[in-house]
Amino acid sequence: MERVEFQNLLEKLESSKKRKLFLKEAKEGEQYFLNKNSIKRIPVRESAELLKTADNRISHAWHTLLVMQKMSYLFSKEPAIDTGDETTNREVLKVLGDEWGKILNELVKEASNKAVGWLYYYIDENGKFQYALIESEYVIPIFTADKKKRLAAVICRIVEEGGGNFKTTYQYWDKDQFITFEKRGSICVKDKQNSKAHPFGEVPFIYFNNNSVGKNDLFMYKDLIDEYDKKYSGFANDLDDIQEIIFILQGYGGEDLEEFMSDLKSFKAVKTDEHGDVRTVKAEIPLEARRAFLEDTKKAIFLFGMGVNPDRENFGDSSGV
């Protein structure tokens, strides 16, 4: 593949609506896993223009909890490998190594957050088989045009930092070889070493789809999490704001508000004229309605997230395993 052909292909793939949507949802899934929900990114309101001044942003890690449950459910114990021959089984496990269980859990997390996880396998400088997880946003798959939709090629982006500068290269892999291109500004330049053959006979990348619809887990309950965060943060705002009592003065006999506060603090009383009155206004919070809403929303999150609510009352004295 020549430079111009590769650059045209790369630009076409990166500018596609499907690719842009994937990157947007992958970033969002990762943010929610890190408990950086949408509530954290709502523009700060101008408190001077509003009666309510508190502006809490409380983010709940429901997505993190559900993904961690999924990881534990699938791979708290590594799956058994049976090739039909015990010697081969031991050899396979030896090649997979001690990191096999960790890689499986990382694959679950990657696919749950970003819709797909990727493994790359290769032969190292010592001639040994190795494999590694590749972050999904660095992989651009190219599938066959037929109904089978087999993996025909992969473009893998590699970003390296050195001396405060970033170097971006792309590797184009097919079943026979890989070709390296270096990104210089907006131009891709072919590596001097040109293409290199590999011995696998297949594209050495394996994809693990999260589901059949090409989505991360977040699409099933994101709206519920956002609503829970919003209502809970609103409740915290009300609790902060309700501590401030508003005084309504009628026929106050003093000179200014400073004198009023001084009298109130010193004498626990204020002077008014014969038609005067002092009243207070305090916000009322619908506690039961809000509590019921939050509880119903929590149940819906676990229902549509297909998880287990770890609240003690759901299990009684059992461990919840």
Side-chain angles (χ1 to χ4, degrees):
M1 177 175 286
E2 295 303 318
R3 181 191 70 80
V4 175
E5 183 184 359
F6 173 78
Q7 183 152 341
N8 289 339
L9 175 63
L10 179 64
E11 289 175 356
K12 178 182 177 181
L13 292 171
E14 286 190 323
S15 63
S16 68
K17 290 182 179 179
K18 184 177 180 180
R19 179 67 181 172
K20 289 179 178 178
L21 179 61
F22 164 76
L23 291 174
K24 175 180 176 293
E25 291 181 347
K27 182 179 180 180
E28 194 168 55
E30 191 168 51
Q31 285 178 327
Y32 272 69
F33 186 81
L34 297 173
N35 200 21
K36 297 178 181 178
N37 299 357
S38 294
I39 191 76
K40 298 285 191 183
R41 301 187 294 278
I42 296 174
V44 177
R45 63 190 186 184
E46 297 295 332
S47 58
E49 300 176 4
L50 299 169
L51 181 61
K52 295 184 177 182
T53 58
D55 192 19
N56 293 289
R57 312 294 183 85
I58 302 171
S59 181
H60 294 78
W62 297 119
H63 178 60
T64 314
L65 175 61
L66 289 167
V67 173
M68 295 291 282
Q69 282 188 359
K70 184 176 176 181
M71 291 163 63
S72 298
Y73 175 75
L74 289 173
F75 295 127
S76 57
K77 183 179 180 181
E78 297 168 15
I81 294 176
D82 186 7
T83 64
D85 178 75
E86 281 300 320
T87 303
T88 305
N89 290 346
R90 288 194 295 270
E91 193 62 33
V92 170
L93 289 173
K94 182 179 177 182
V95 170
L96 291 174
D98 295 335
E99 63 184 351
W100 174 231
K102 179 182 177 182
I103 290 289
L104 287 174
N105 276 284
E106 288 298 312
L107 271 174
V108 175
K109 184 177 77 173
E110 189 78 3
S112 298
N113 289 336
K114 303 175 184 177
V116 62
W118 287 92
L119 279 185
Y120 159 61
Y121 55 93
Y122 60 100
I123 304 297
D124 68 14
E125 60 274 12
N126 298 317
K128 292 185 176 180
F129 178 86
Q130 301 285 358
Y131 62 99
L133 184 142
I134 305 293
E135 292 185 60
S136 304
E137 56 267 41
Y138 293 140
V139 179
I140 305 176
I142 302 168
F143 295 98
T144 58
D146 57 23
K147 292 182 179 179
K148 295 288 187 180
K149 298 291 182 184
R150 292 190 173 94
L151 189 65
V154 155
I155 296 174
C156 184
R157 179 165 64 94
I158 302 168
V159 180
E160 299 172 297
E161 183 182 5
N165 297 317
F166 291 92
K167 177 184 175 183
T168 302
T169 56
Y170 291 91
Q171 291 181 340
Y172 176 86
W173 292 81
D174 61 22
K175 65 183 182 62
D176 300 313
Q177 63 182 351
F178 71 92
I179 309 169
T180 303
F181 298 86
E182 183 181 341
K183 191 74 175 290
R184 296 179 184 174
S186 60
I187 303 298
C188 290
V189 180
K190 202 169 187 178
D191 188 88
K192 291 180 181 178
Q193 295 179 341
N194 207 338
S195 61
K196 291 183 180 180
H198 65 76
F200 299 113
E202 298 286 346
V203 183
F205 288 77
I206 306 172
Y207 61 89
F208 294 80
N209 286 335
N210 189 44
N211 49 45
S212 61
V213 294
K215 291 285 188 180
N216 61 15
D217 286 351
L218 195 60
F219 88 98
M220 297 185 289
Y221 47 74
K222 179 184 179 298
D223 291 347
L224 292 167
I225 292 177
D226 289 344
E227 197 61 32
Y228 193 99
D229 286 347
K230 186 169 69 174
K231 289 293 187 292
Y232 197 97
S233 298
F235 180 61
N237 291 338
D238 289 344
L239 288 178
D240 284 347
D241 288 327
I242 201 172
Q243 298 177 39
E244 299 180 13
I245 298 175
I246 299 174
F247 290 93
I248 300 177
L249 308 179
Q250 180 180 343
Y252 172 57
E255 294 294 328
D256 52 34
L257 292 177
E258 193 171 317
E259 183 181 346
F260 165 76
M261 294 305 295
S262 177
D263 288 347
L264 187 64
K265 184 176 181 181
S266 301
F267 308 113
K268 307 300 182 188
V270 293
K271 56 193 174 205
T272 63
D273 61 25
E274 57 182 322
H275 301 294
D277 188 19
V278 178
R279 291 180 290 119
T280 61
V281 175
K282 195 173 182 179
E284 295 296 331
I285 302 176
L287 290 175
E288 285 306 317
R290 192 165 300 193
R291 187 180 293 118
F293 178 84
L294 290 175
E295 190 58 35
D296 287 346
T297 305
K298 183 196 293 187
K299 289 178 182 177
I301 289 171
F302 283 105
L303 172 63
F304 294 107
M306 293 181 283
V308 179
N309 188 340
D311 284 351
R312 189 170 182 82
E313 60 261 26
N314 294 312
F315 295 108
D317 293 329
S318 63
S319 66
V321 171

